[in-house]
Amino acid sequence: GEDVEQSLFLSVREGDSSVINCTYTDSSSTYLYWYKQEPGAGLQLLTYIFSNMDMKQDQRLTVLLNKKDKHLSLRIADTQTGDSAIYFCAESFDNYGQNFVFGPGTRLSVLP
Amino acid sequence: KAGVTQTPRYLIKTRGQQVTLSCSPISGHRSVSWYQQTPGQGLQFLFEYFSETQRNKGNFPGRFSGRQFSNSRSEMNVSTLELGDSALYLCASKIGTGEAFFGQGTRLTVV
């Protein structure tokens, strides 16, 4: 069955790097996503990676995918207080549908 | 361009009642999906509509239903409300292989 796991909390100091980890069980997932949710808001897509890629970098964000271990990580460089939010890892099995399987979310707290 | 609009933003209903939530997708987006977000279960997929047809369905009881109109606007309905239906209901719209954009959600409280 499909299952996505994440640690629930992460605290970092402003200016440090944050690494949020995610594991998934279904190897047939095609795309893996990172979404951000701020209080009272919907989900904002941060980045995504195709399952045949190992790494993707987008400004301060670096996504690493280890398909063998079914492990996905999101690194945020130079973390700022505005990065404090809940980060969700999600997998999908085609790029047309919206049947995402989400992890429980990691609450990132950035300390000044 | 306007984002995904969900109405109402907040709703309080009594157990046993029914409720209808609305989602207006981004103009041109024909795929609309619905998610339930609760502290205990997290984000769970309810269903997805594309061109007025249900394309995918999650694992929810038949009390949860939805539909999509010819203008791509979608509604979801929950009948015979239970306390456990209290949640944030999120809608997302998408076009083709593009990004899924989420609305701000409707917070439903069942008392």
Side-chain angles (χ1 to χ4, degrees):
Chain A
E2 307 148 353
D3 195 17
V4 179
E5 295 183 355
Q6 302 175 241
S7 52
L8 298 182
F9 301 97
L10 177 66
S11 289
V12 299
R13 292 247 173 239
E14 194 173 13
D16 287 350
S17 291
S18 310
V19 179
I20 303 171
N21 294 301
C22 167
T23 56
Y24 58 98
T25 55
D26 197 324
S27 58
S28 65
S29 57
T30 309
Y31 297 88
L32 294 134
Y33 301 83
W34 284 104
Y35 280 89
K36 176 183 180 183
Q37 187 177 38
E38 296 180 90
L43 298 174
Q44 174 196 354
L45 177 66
L46 288 177
T47 186
Y48 66 92
I49 188 168
F50 297 118
S51 61
N52 63 357
M53 293 171 65
D54 298 324
M55 186 184 91
K56 181 177 180 181
Q57 189 153 0
D58 185 1
Q59 299 182 349
R60 293 191 297 125
L61 305 179
T62 303
V63 178
L64 294 177
L65 174 60
N66 181 330
K67 199 170 180 185
K68 175 176 163 289
D69 294 339
K70 300 191 188 73
H71 181 265
L72 182 74
S73 68
L74 173 70
R75 178 177 179 268
I76 305 173
D78 186 26
T79 313
Q80 302 298 306
T81 54
D83 294 324
S84 293
I86 301 176
Y87 291 79
F88 292 92
C89 166
E91 60 177 346
S92 73
F93 307 94
D94 72 80
N95 202 26
Y96 288 92
Q98 293 196 59
N99 183 1
F100 298 121
V101 177
F102 284 92
T106 299
R107 184 178 293 275
L108 174 65
S109 298
V110 182
L111 309 173
Chain B
K1 63 183 174 183
V4 178
T5 305
Q6 292 188 246
T7 56
R9 290 291 312 278
Y10 303 93
L11 206 48
I12 299 176
K13 289 286 189 178
T14 306
R15 264 183 307 175
Q17 286 186 312
Q18 72 153 13
V19 68
T20 299
L21 311 182
S22 179
C23 172
S24 293
I26 292 171
S27 178
H29 287 198
R30 292 162 63 191
S31 169
V32 174
S33 61
W34 290 89
Y35 290 84
Q36 181 196 65
Q37 186 176 25
T38 60
Q41 300 298 317
L43 275 156
Q44 294 186 284
F45 172 75
L46 280 155
F47 26 65
E48 179 197 359
Y49 286 86
F50 178 79
S51 293
E52 302 177 65
T53 302
Q54 189 178 84
R55 181 154 72 175
N56 281 302
K57 187 177 188 308
N59 195 22
F60 277 80
R63 299 186 298 109
F64 292 81
S65 62
R67 60 179 176 168
Q68 186 179 33
F69 301 95
S70 58
N71 62 357
S72 294
R73 190 177 71 85
S74 177
E75 290 181 345
M76 68 162 279
N77 184 276
V78 188
S79 62
T80 320
L81 282 164
E82 300 176 0
L83 295 178
D85 297 332
S86 295
L88 179 67
Y89 290 87
L90 290 166
C91 160
S93 78
K94 195 175 197 278
I95 182 168
T97 59
E99 174 185 346
F101 291 88
F102 282 79
Q104 290 195 290
T106 294
R107 185 162 296 282
L108 171 66
T109 302
V110 182
V111 298

